[in-house]
Amino acid sequence: MSVKEIPTKPFDGQKPGTSGLRKRVKVFQQEHYTENFVQSIFDAIPLSGSTLVVGGDGRYYSPEAVQIILRIASANGVSKLLIGKDGILSTPAVSNIIRKYKANGGILLTASHNPGGPNADFGIKYNVENGGPAPENITEKIFARTKTISSYKVLEAPAVDISKLGDTTYGPLKVTIIDSVKDYLELLHTIFDFKLIKSFLESHKTSFKVLFDGLHGVTGPYAKAIILETLGLPASSVQNCEPSPDFGGGHPDPNLTYAHSLVDAVEKGRINFGAASDGDGDRNMIYGAGAFVTPSDSVAIIADWAEVIPYFNKKGGVKGLARSMPTSAAIDLVAKAKGLEYFEVPTGWKFFGNLMDAGRLSICGEESFGTGSDHIREKDGLWAVVAWLNIIAAANEQDKSGKLWGIREILNKHYAKYGRSFFSRYDYEEVPSEGAQKLVDHVNGLIKSSSFSGKSYESSATGISFTVAKAYNFDYTDPIDKSVSKNQGQVVTFSDGSRVVWRLSGTGSQGATVRMYVERYVSADAGERELSRDTGEGLQALIDVALDISNLKQFLGREQPTVITVSIISVIPSHELN
Ligand code: VG1
Ligand code: CO
């Protein structure tokens, strides 16, 4: 076996975005393209003698990418690779394995919730030794290297069979093919009260139905191990749990638009507790018949109920809480009530890592269906699902009246205590980049203009008006390493406390994606009717005004967004409210 140096030329645009490099499969398949990026990782970070974890969501082109990594890692002096069987490891599983086996980092092969297949997306992401996504100073080094690379090194050897568990060698490189599920399952057992969940589910066999939808992503085998084997639920409690390279032709994104297989099944079967996860298993959606939990509420509720989860008791309680900037302030209210420190960070899980490592953050989330804790350094879809089951089981144990507590009851109790942050996100996917830039420039113009603050805007459909209080670009200084990230979203706040945010997505693979986030807070004393409204009713006026201020429809040439995240909840009569 010999090492060969292969000449190459830089490719444009190998810049990792919010969460790694994501492009069409066809782009990765170009000669030298994937090799250039992988070699740039090894050039940018000293990894000779290191141990790395490799795995991903099993999407199309993963097997080829694993072999490329093997060839380049071996030639660059990496000592050991831990590879998920068949290249399969969920994103949270990789984070756990890096931490558990004290690896130096990991290479994740996923484009997360983006569709897969020969005409869809592939992605590569580098994680560092704390198990989390590489921070910006590292991804910038990798990107800089992609612009100057002139050759890459490969070991010339036949492919490694990654379908068999066990040890092998590849030139000087030691390779271990590991079970995809085992370590992750062991981790969850150290966190949750599975005994309590199981006994609740057993005693409510007929009244509390559960359905998990893997959307043909990586979580299938993990969900079967947890929901079927550990919790003993019937096989009908999971669906679409066979990972497929093109996600069964679907869009593995757990929201009300793309996870229609779950939404339909939940409504049809009046399922009490439905949940779905994305392609790589780090996102989650919680959705029961008639009640959808917005991710902003989900993380706030998990934080509020944290003490029923053994992990947060064992570790001496919850330290701090955090959310990404566009996420609603629901979790801030929980932090204030509990006297905890809380943080607002830019979009992307990498910004939570330093706070967790410093012992200042326990539970955090993003409005984009990402929820997690410091048990690992990625957001964790199945963790959130089991957290909700743990909370529901505990709520039922606490209430001796025999009333059944489900998603709706927990949501309503939360709103009655803390008030409610109505939240919605409008996504305009794959719009022309020039239009998106015009929108950004236009809002920047408003931010700079001295007459913007104090100006009133009226929604003509409802007659409700909003007065601008503040407008700014969100810049963030990491409290731990003091690194600065600028222009992380444009924010306009109004005199009633409402807020609108515009951001350009950093995960799209084509054109630009514009996200518009709207939020309006209604206090707990507003009354149950107000609190349990549909988001549509609660937010329409603000959405009208946000579209007007940004001139969005004209700049983007779109009447309607591609995806709307709303929250729906049935009205619960007051005698049912605690
Ligand atoms: C989106 C979400 C962000 C999330 C990121 C990665 O980024 O908004 O909150 O962290 O996806 O999620 P953007 O830049 O497109 O808005 V995943 O499940 O791709 O790892
Ligand atoms: Co994901």
Side-chain angles (χ1 to χ4, degrees):
M1 288 188 223
S2 64
V3 168
K4 199 171 159 190
E5 187 143 355
I6 298 178
T8 185
K9 285 202 188 79
F11 285 89
D12 276 343
Q14 291 196 321
K15 185 176 168 56
T18 311
S19 189
L21 178 70
R22 293 185 194 177
K23 299 281 177 201
R24 291 282 193 252
V25 164
K26 295 249 169 355
V27 173
F28 276 100
Q29 281 171 327
Q30 297 171 83
E31 194 182 12
H32 308 312
Y33 188 93
T34 304
E35 288 85 349
N36 272 17
F37 189 72
V38 173
Q39 180 68 51
S40 297
I41 296 175
F42 291 112
D43 289 343
I45 312 164
L47 290 169
S48 175
S50 66
T51 297
L52 296 177
V53 181
V54 178
D57 56 17
R59 68 178 57 225
Y60 189 88
Y61 194 61
S62 296
E64 292 85 345
V66 171
Q67 298 298 334
I68 290 172
I69 292 167
L70 271 160
R71 285 201 293 274
I72 297 180
S74 179
N76 280 276
V78 172
S79 294
K80 187 167 185 182
L81 289 187
L82 300 168
I83 304 178
K85 182 173 176 290
D86 297 315
I88 294 270
L89 285 175
S90 74
T91 291
V94 172
S95 187
N96 176 46
I97 290 166
I98 293 173
R99 296 168 67 77
K100 182 168 176 180
Y101 297 105
K102 303 206 168 11
N104 302 81
I107 301 178
L108 291 81
L109 304 172
T110 172
S112 189
H113 53 284
N114 298 18
N119 298 312
D121 289 355
F122 189 73
I124 302 183
K125 179 164 93 163
Y126 186 73
N127 279 26
V128 294
E129 64 190 343
N130 74 353
E136 277 180 336
N137 65 333
I138 292 183
T139 54
E140 270 155 26
K141 272 189 205 150
I142 297 171
F143 178 49
R145 182 58 188 156
T146 67
K147 294 193 273 192
T148 59
I149 188 167
S150 59
S151 69
Y152 57 88
K153 283 189 272 184
V154 293
L155 181 84
E156 295 200 295
V160 175
D161 181 359
I162 56 171
S163 69
K164 289 197 187 74
L165 294 180
D167 296 337
T168 176
T169 55
Y170 194 65
L173 175 69
K174 290 190 197 120
V175 178
T176 305
I177 309 297
I178 54 176
D179 186 282
S180 311
V181 176
K182 191 175 151 280
D183 293 301
Y184 180 76
L185 193 63
E186 282 174 18
L187 172 71
L188 290 199
H189 273 279
T190 67
I191 296 175
F192 295 110
D193 192 343
F194 278 105
K195 218 174 122 209
L196 176 73
I197 304 172
K198 198 171 173 185
S199 99
F200 162 70
L201 292 171
E202 260 165 20
S203 58
H204 292 80
K205 248 184 210 144
T206 50
S207 56
F208 193 87
K209 280 186 273 178
V210 172
L211 179 63
F212 176 82
D213 193 327
L215 302 179
H216 300 285
V218 75
T219 47
Y222 300 85
K224 285 183 192 164
I226 295 161
I227 291 171
L228 306 186
E229 286 151 39
T230 307
L231 294 175
L233 289 172
S236 58
S237 309
V238 300
Q239 69 180 20
N240 300 325
C241 277
E242 306 301 329
S244 105
D246 70 346
F247 307 109
H251 197 142
D253 197 355
N255 59 44
L256 294 172
T257 304
Y258 293 131
H260 46 84
S261 53
L262 176 80
V263 172
D264 293 350
V266 161
E267 289 305 329
K268 208 165 140 222
R270 302 305 294 165
I271 306 284
N272 308 66
F273 184 89
S277 196
D278 71 335
D280 64 328
D282 55 358
R283 296 185 177 205
N284 75 93
M285 174 167 83
I286 306 294
Y287 178 64
F292 165 71
V293 187
T294 64
S296 298
D297 284 345
S298 181
V299 67
I301 289 169
I302 293 174
D304 195 37
W305 284 81
E307 58 274 18
V308 305
I309 297 171
Y311 175 85
F312 296 112
N313 284 330
K314 250 188 264 170
K315 290 207 111 182
V318 175
K319 289 146 201 158
L321 304 177
R323 60 172 169 86
S324 67
M325 181 273 280
T327 304
S328 94
I331 191 171
D332 302 13
L333 300 177
V334 175
K336 283 179 198 155
K338 290 184 182 283
L340 294 170
E341 195 180 18
Y342 63 99
F343 305 90
E344 180 183 48
V345 311
T347 295
W349 209 260
K350 55 183 177 245
F351 293 104
F352 294 123
N354 277 348
L355 292 165
M356 288 180 177
D357 290 348
R360 288 173 65 180
L361 170 57
S362 301
I363 298 172
C364 55
E366 296 191 277
E367 48 60 46
S368 55
F369 298 85
T371 326
S373 91
D374 64 349
H375 66 293
I376 52 171
R377 295 293 179 272
E378 288 276 7
K379 55 190 186 269
D380 190 344
L382 280 163
W383 175 91
V385 173
V386 182
W388 265 87
L389 286 172
N390 199 148
I391 289 167
I392 289 173
N396 280 285
E397 197 199 32
Q398 285 170 15
D399 184 349
K400 306 285 178 216
S401 75
K403 163 187 157 184
L404 179 62
W405 281 77
I407 295 175
R408 275 190 346 162
E409 290 71 19
I410 301 228
L411 277 175
N412 277 283
K413 185 180 180 189
H414 193 82
Y415 298 156
K417 182 168 167 196
Y418 290 103
R420 178 172 177 191
S421 298
F422 284 92
F423 181 87
S424 182
R425 181 173 112 179
Y426 277 35
D427 295 325
Y428 299 83
E429 295 179 351
E430 302 193 354
V431 296
S433 301
E434 308 80 66
Q437 194 51 49
K438 278 188 191 150
L439 186 148
V440 171
D441 294 344
H442 170 71
V443 176
N444 272 339
L446 294 173
I447 289 174
K448 285 194 198 112
S449 126
S450 53
S451 59
F452 186 47
S453 140
K455 217 170 153 183
S456 286
Y457 290 83
E458 188 187 291
S459 132
S460 50
T462 61
I464 302 175
S465 57
F466 292 86
T467 305
V468 175
K470 270 196 293 185
Y472 57 94
N473 265 298
F474 179 62
D475 296 337
Y476 178 69
T477 303
D478 186 295
I480 311 301
D481 68 16
K482 309 291 177 212
S483 59
V484 176
S485 305
K486 288 198 173 290
N487 298 325
Q488 299 294 315
Q490 300 170 302
V491 186
V492 174
T493 62
F494 300 93
S495 55
D496 71 337
S498 299
R499 181 179 80 150
V500 184
V501 176
W502 294 271
R503 251 191 86 245
L504 294 184
S505 156
T507 57
S509 58
Q510 200 115 301
T513 290
V514 173
R515 306 198 194 287
M516 182 174 92
Y517 313 76
V518 289
E519 175 183 357
R520 190 182 133 233
Y521 176 70
V522 171
S523 72
D525 48 29
E528 83 199 47
R529 286 258 145 225
E530 269 309 306
L531 291 173
S532 50
R533 278 178 189 284
D534 272 352
T535 296
E537 299 170 279
L539 279 179
Q540 195 50 56
L542 185 58
I543 289 166
D544 292 344
V545 163
L547 291 171
D548 182 16
I549 289 179
S550 59
N551 204 7
L552 182 145
K553 289 185 186 176
Q554 202 190 323
F555 286 135
L556 304 187
R558 289 270 179 94
E559 260 318 293
Q560 297 297 333
T562 327
V563 179
I564 300 182
T565 299
V566 291
S567 66
I568 40 176
I569 178 166
S570 334
V571 176
I572 294 187
S574 60
H575 64 266
E576 279 189 28
L577 274 174
N578 276 34

